[in-house]
């Protein structure tokens, strides 16, 4: 396990921009050369003991993160938690897991077959949460997973890595409103996730979010390469609670739509 939170996020970022080349360009576009504060990252997994949410969480709780919220996504058959660091300048971490037993016997068999290939020692290695895929996968299995769960197919194809990083709009020197960030992105040719509207959430729920649609990358399958959606970049503006502190949680209804940033565009 990493001991240094900054080193961990630097490694996650390097892996992420390999999968999400647009993120590095957006970073320059919005930051105007200034550092960008990362609001949170998200990780995806399956609720199978060897690799479940708590296995991923240990990589963060071991360096001071604490469990700060629980979420359920009925339609997507997921549960999630978010974790916060005592230093509020450090990114929050959102980890979700697919409830595998709620899917077809075929999907369950496929996923268990993939996870059986994971060396248990790999799950506690420093690099596990940015180590990618630990199993062989063919295109037909990917397609059959995709037909049932975009999330299952994403994890099967891309493994363990940040699904997205998130720009903290509150900390951007040049932008105040999420609408202006979205407009700058569109003007530069980036495609936003419009599921449920470009802006998810509202000042009333203390959080507004938007995101790009995922980049496409070439992924190796056992029977050749194929281009599939990889990762995306998210943008979050937080509002103060009654006590004057910024809200630090997540809004399940908004997160539900953010998940769709990795859908293949119709």
């Amino acid at each position: 396990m990493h001991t240094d939170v900054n080193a961990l996020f630097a490694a996650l970022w390097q892996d992420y921009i390999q999968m999400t080349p647009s993120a590095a360009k957006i970073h320059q576009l919005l930051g105007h050369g200034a550092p960008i504060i990362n609001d949170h990252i998200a990780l995806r997994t399956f609720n199978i003991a060897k690799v479940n949410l708590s296995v991923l969480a240990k990589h963060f709780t071991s360096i001071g993160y604490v469990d700060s919220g629980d979420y359920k996504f009925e339609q997507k058959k997921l549960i999630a938690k978010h974790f916060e660091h005592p230093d509020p300048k450090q990114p929050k971490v959102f980890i979700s897991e697919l409830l595998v037993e709620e899917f077809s016997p075929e999907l369950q068999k496929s996923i268990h077959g993939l996870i059986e290939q994971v060396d248990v020692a790999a799950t506690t290695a420093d690099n596990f949460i940015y180590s990618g895929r630990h199993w062989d996968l063919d295109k037909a299995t990917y397609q059959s997973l995709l037909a049932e769960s975009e999330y299952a197919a994403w994890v099967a194809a891309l493994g363990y890595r940040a699904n997205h990083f998130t720009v903290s709009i509150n900390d951007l020197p040049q932008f105040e409103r999420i609408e202006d960030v979205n407009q700058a992105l569109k003007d530069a040719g980036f495609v936003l996730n419009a599921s449920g509207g470009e802006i998810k959430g509202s000042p009333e729920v203390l959080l507004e979010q938007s995101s790009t649609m995922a980049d496409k990358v070439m992924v190796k399958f056992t029977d050749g390469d194929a281009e599939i959606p990889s990762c995306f970049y998210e943008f979050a503006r937080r509002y103060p609670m009654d006590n004057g502190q910024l809200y630090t949680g997540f809004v399940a209804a908004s997160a539900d739509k953010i998940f769709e940033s990795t859908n293949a565009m119709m």
Side-chain angles (χ1 to χ4, degrees), residues 1 8 52 57 155 240 261:
M1 305 269 175
L8 174 57
N52 67 11
V155 181
S261 302

Side-chain angles (χ1 to χ4, degrees), residues 107 110-111 114 137 141-150 152-153 156:
L107 181 140
S110 293
I111 297 302
L114 301 180
L137 179 69
T141 304
Y142 172 76
Q143 290 296 341
S144 70
L145 292 172
L146 191 59
E148 262 194 85
S149 164
E150 181 280 324

Side-chain angles (χ1 to χ4, degrees), residues 43-187:
L43 299 164
R44 296 178 171 188
T45 192
F46 302 112
N47 69 334
I48 295 170
K50 198 195 283 187
V51 296
N52 67 11
L53 194 161
S54 64
V55 171
L56 271 59
K58 283 193 186 102
H59 288 266
F60 298 96
T61 54
S62 67
I63 49 175
Y65 275 82
V66 291
D67 184 345
S68 303
D70 292 274
Y71 309 90
K72 190 158 177 51
F73 301 93
E74 299 277 354
Q75 272 189 304
K76 291 186 173 61
K77 302 175 183 171
L78 301 168
I79 57 169
K81 286 180 178 285
H82 98 265
F83 300 82
E84 294 181 28
H85 194 272
D87 173 0
K89 283 275 176 265
Q90 294 296 352
K92 290 166 278 293
V93 176
F94 186 89
I95 307 176
S96 55
E97 65 180 4
L98 193 73
L99 305 175
V100 176
E101 69 282 356
E102 295 192 11
F103 288 87
S104 72
E106 292 75 26
L107 181 140
Q108 292 182 49
K109 185 168 180 253
S110 293
I111 297 302
H112 280 280
L114 301 180
I115 302 307
E116 275 163 21
Q117 298 172 53
V118 179
D119 175 358
V120 93
T123 65
T124 56
D126 277 3
N127 71 340
F128 181 63
I129 52 175
Y130 50 91
S131 62
R133 202 167 86 204
H134 290 252
W135 46 77
D136 291 331
L137 179 69
D138 60 49
K139 291 177 194 168
T141 304
Y142 172 76
Q143 290 296 341
S144 70
L145 292 172
L146 191 59
E148 262 194 85
S149 164
E150 181 280 324
Y151 182 109
W154 190 94
V155 181
L158 297 168
Y160 293 97
R161 48 172 40 103
N163 168 261
H164 61 269
F165 272 67
T166 309
V167 173
S168 168
I169 295 173
N170 300 71
D171 294 294
L172 283 178
Q174 310 272 353
F175 296 91
E176 195 177 321
R177 303 182 328 135
I178 192 167
E179 290 86 351
D180 299 332
V181 170
N182 289 353
Q183 194 58 53
L185 292 163
K186 289 189 288 188
D187 289 347

